[in-house]
Amino acid sequence: MPASGFSEDNQPLSNVPTTAKNDREAAARESVAAPEFSELADAAVFSERSRGTDAKIASRADGDTFRATFARYYSLTKPGVLYGNVLTAAAGFLLASGVAREFDTPLFLATIFGTTLVIAAACVLNNVLDRDIDDRMERTKKRATVSGSISVRNAVVFSIVLFVVGNAMLVAWTNWLVVITGLAGFFTYVVLYGMLSKRMSVHGTLVGSISGAAPIFAGYVAVTGSIDAAAVLVFLAIFFWQMPEFYSIAVYRRDEYARAGVPVITVVHGVPAAKVQILIYTVAYVASSIALTPLGYTGWVYAAVMGVLGIWWLVIGVQGFKAKDDNAWARRMFRFSLIIIMAYSLMISIGPLLP
């Protein structure tokens, strides 16, 4: 499940822990809301360009034609976020199928379509929760729930329909592990992350990354029907991968988050602390991704490819400690994270079939 949105930043902060509240209030005095903070931790988003795509779709959907109405509702699902998560779900399914040397087409379709609808439901609900924040941001103020082209009631109904249909597909044609994973991912994203942790704590990204790692886990256990070492490793790999990606964004968007009073790591603890965390999580990602091979789930070609890419990413991470331009380095780290996740999704899909 994706994780996104600070839904109540302009409301009273009496329920916010003192430390985080002080950080937020001090930063908020600087100025206005940052134009991109509400999607800092959209789990498994593979391109920053995808952020705001939904608003663009909605803004271009003028009129009451079926096409325009469809486009507005489609925009609520946050297509860039949605398809990124679905990609990892498919990769997890293909990994398990490759290990089993058997591909079940009906199961694949049910898993992907059901998962897609559940993720879409979460994204739609996020639009509802974030509309007060989105209204203050140039990039998102044209979203359908902000402009009023889709009412809150209709958006909620749309989310419920997607959620019910998606879960019905998973219940009918997959297994209980997939269903539970979907429900847990949805709850983590919408409640634990979207409503709570991201506005209260510097650790919000950690919570969001749990939901971001749920799709690949669901795809894998759809085939196996049980949890094994590979299921744990693919979950951990995506969880760990998200941290350097998101923290890199937090580095080069730091001033914007500070103006908004958002307690991301670079605002609360500074860029040097973020660099340390980026390197730690990069090491963790590399270790968890390569571990599939010695455990017998993928061939050594997979390990070689992912090992080279992983070392390259680590080198970039280490270079950050001597970087003269933190923003340029962070953008480079972020861009390479996109290469990493695309390569990882591809390689685990074919890894069991390679030498």
Side-chain angles (χ1 to χ4, degrees):
M1 301 297 159
S4 136
F6 291 79
S7 60
E8 301 174 352
D9 275 35
N10 61 350
Q11 297 185 15
L13 298 175
S14 60
N15 62 330
V16 179
T18 303
T19 301
K21 179 177 178 180
N22 291 340
D23 290 328
R24 289 170 54 83
E25 290 177 342
R29 286 193 290 269
E30 294 188 26
S31 185
V32 297
E36 296 200 25
F37 73 81
S38 76
E39 296 198 31
L40 170 65
D42 275 334
V45 180
F46 302 132
S47 173
E48 194 177 18
R49 292 181 181 179
S50 70
R51 303 165 195 264
T53 299
D54 51 332
K56 294 177 183 177
I57 294 173
S59 66
R60 294 169 183 168
D62 297 324
D64 296 323
T65 65
F66 172 80
R67 182 176 181 178
T69 301
F70 178 85
R72 287 194 290 270
Y73 276 95
Y74 174 66
S75 72
L76 293 182
T77 66
K78 298 188 177 183
V81 176
L82 178 64
Y83 297 138
N85 280 271
V86 172
L87 174 63
T88 61
F93 189 99
L94 292 173
L95 170 63
S97 297
V99 172
R101 294 296 194 273
E102 181 179 355
F103 184 81
D104 187 330
T105 301
L107 178 60
F108 176 77
L109 294 176
T111 301
I112 296 304
F113 282 114
T115 299
T116 298
L117 293 177
V118 173
I119 296 172
C123 290
V124 173
L125 193 53
N126 176 254
N127 270 287
V128 173
L129 296 173
D130 278 0
R131 64 191 187 280
D132 58 329
I133 300 302
D134 292 340
D135 189 41
R136 293 190 290 153
M137 300 187 294
E138 184 65 29
R139 182 186 57 84
T140 57
K141 67 182 182 181
K142 293 184 179 180
R143 281 178 171 165
T145 47
V146 178
S147 68
S149 59
I150 294 180
S151 68
V152 170
R153 176 183 176 279
N154 287 349
V156 171
V157 170
F158 183 43
S159 176
I160 292 173
V161 170
L162 291 171
F163 181 80
V164 171
V165 175
N167 275 288
M169 294 180 68
L170 296 180
V171 169
W173 294 301
T174 65
N175 59 60
W176 66 274
L177 271 176
V178 178
V179 175
I180 290 177
T181 301
L183 293 174
F186 185 94
F187 179 79
T188 301
Y189 164 61
V190 174
V191 179
L192 300 183
Y193 177 74
M195 294 181 180
L196 300 174
S197 65
K198 67 184 174 184
R199 67 174 53 259
M200 296 180 178
S201 171
V202 68
H203 302 299
T205 303
L206 281 168
V207 178
S209 295
I210 295 174
S211 59
I216 194 169
F217 182 86
Y220 185 89
V221 298
V223 176
T224 63
S226 61
I227 301 174
D228 59 16
V232 175
L233 287 172
V234 295
F235 178 90
L236 290 176
I238 296 298
F239 173 83
F240 291 140
W241 168 82
Q242 291 172 90
M243 303 306 292
E245 194 241 12
F246 301 144
Y247 282 171
S248 295
I249 297 173
V251 170
Y252 66 79
R253 296 289 186 190
R254 179 182 183 277
D255 292 342
E256 296 173 4
Y257 302 134
R259 287 196 299 271
V262 181
V264 297
I265 186 171
T266 50
V267 172
V268 177
H269 298 304
V271 172
K275 290 181 178 181
V276 172
Q277 292 298 307
I278 285 172
L279 186 60
I280 290 173
Y281 282 111
T282 302
V283 171
Y285 159 77
V286 174
S288 59
S289 65
I290 295 177
L292 287 171
T293 297
L295 292 179
Y297 292 100
T298 58
W300 289 101
V301 172
Y302 163 88
V305 172
M306 296 313 301
V308 169
L309 290 174
I311 292 173
W312 192 348
W313 202 20
L314 281 170
V315 169
I316 297 174
V318 171
Q319 290 173 344
F321 293 98
K322 297 182 179 180
K324 295 181 180 179
D325 186 337
D326 288 336
N327 290 346
W329 165 77
R331 288 181 181 276
R332 184 184 175 201
M333 191 75 183
F334 169 77
R335 287 194 296 268
F336 200 78
S337 74
L338 309 185
I339 296 174
I340 288 288
I341 195 60
M342 294 301 292
Y344 179 73
S345 297
L346 172 63
M347 292 305 297
I348 64 168
S349 298
I350 62 176
L353 307 178
L354 299 174

